[in-house]
Amino acid sequence: MNSRAPILESQPHRTRKKSKRVRRATILGTGTCVPERVVDNSYFSQELGLDTSPEWIEKRIGIVQRHWATDESSTDLAVGAARSALSQSKLDVEDIGVIIVATSTPDFVMPSTACLVQGRLGATRALAFDIVDACAGYAYALD
């Protein structure tokens, strides 16, 4: 017998109902959290012995001081920023629908920093994921 029956028979195509409701994300609050250690421009000449001055750095790149994380993790900073945003927006943790963390420095490959933030906040109803895409990550997270 040379005739073969098809292994997969075509099924009638099901049509999906089109939703009239469009879901959109809305940013209702923003927050910040920075590391405690502050390093000013004099560090580079005085501590590291580099041939530069605080004025030269400020004039060229506009930075007077920076915050360096020594004891804080990415998760610590993200949780602090999230709590600040919740406070500013007057929302509760239960109101969070999605936690997106855009970072180039996650604490671990797995679990994602967003899941760690979700756990620390107690945001049990929120979807959580990271976007690790260097500088563009922030723009992609907002998109």
Side-chain angles (χ1 to χ4, degrees), residues 82-103:
R83 288 189 176 135
S84 174
L86 284 168
S87 174
Q88 189 252 352
S89 68
K90 311 270 191 286
L91 294 173
D92 293 323
V93 172
E94 297 82 30
D95 298 322
I96 298 174
V98 179
I99 298 171
I100 304 170
V101 174
T103 182

Side-chain angles (χ1 to χ4, degrees), residues 7 73 84:
I7 296 173
S73 67
S84 174

Side-chain angles (χ1 to χ4, degrees), residues 41 44 55-64 66:
N41 291 338
F44 297 99
E55 298 79 21
W56 187 90
I57 296 171
E58 182 179 356
K59 182 179 178 185
R60 299 292 189 296
I61 59 176
I63 295 175
V64 177
R66 71 248 340 117

Side-chain angles (χ1 to χ4, degrees), residues 41-139:
N41 291 338
S42 64
Y43 170 84
F44 297 99
S45 57
Q46 294 173 359
E47 298 292 323
L48 297 181
L50 297 177
D51 185 22
T52 188
S53 70
E55 298 79 21
W56 187 90
I57 296 171
E58 182 179 356
K59 182 179 178 185
R60 299 292 189 296
I61 59 176
I63 295 175
V64 177
Q65 64 183 22
R66 71 248 340 117
H67 293 262
W68 281 0
T70 53
D71 297 322
E72 304 93 348
S73 67
S74 292
T75 302
D76 295 332
L77 298 172
V79 168
R83 288 189 176 135
S84 174
L86 284 168
S87 174
Q88 189 252 352
S89 68
K90 311 270 191 286
L91 294 173
D92 293 323
V93 172
E94 297 82 30
D95 298 322
I96 298 174
V98 179
I99 298 171
I100 304 170
V101 174
T103 182
S104 296
T105 56
D107 295 337
F108 309 102
V109 175
M110 286 178 29
S112 69
T113 304
C115 287
L116 297 172
V117 171
Q118 177 194 39
R120 286 207 204 161
L121 291 175
T124 56
R125 299 180 57 177
L127 171 73
F129 62 92
D130 285 1
I131 295 178
V132 182
D133 200 14
C135 298
Y138 176 76

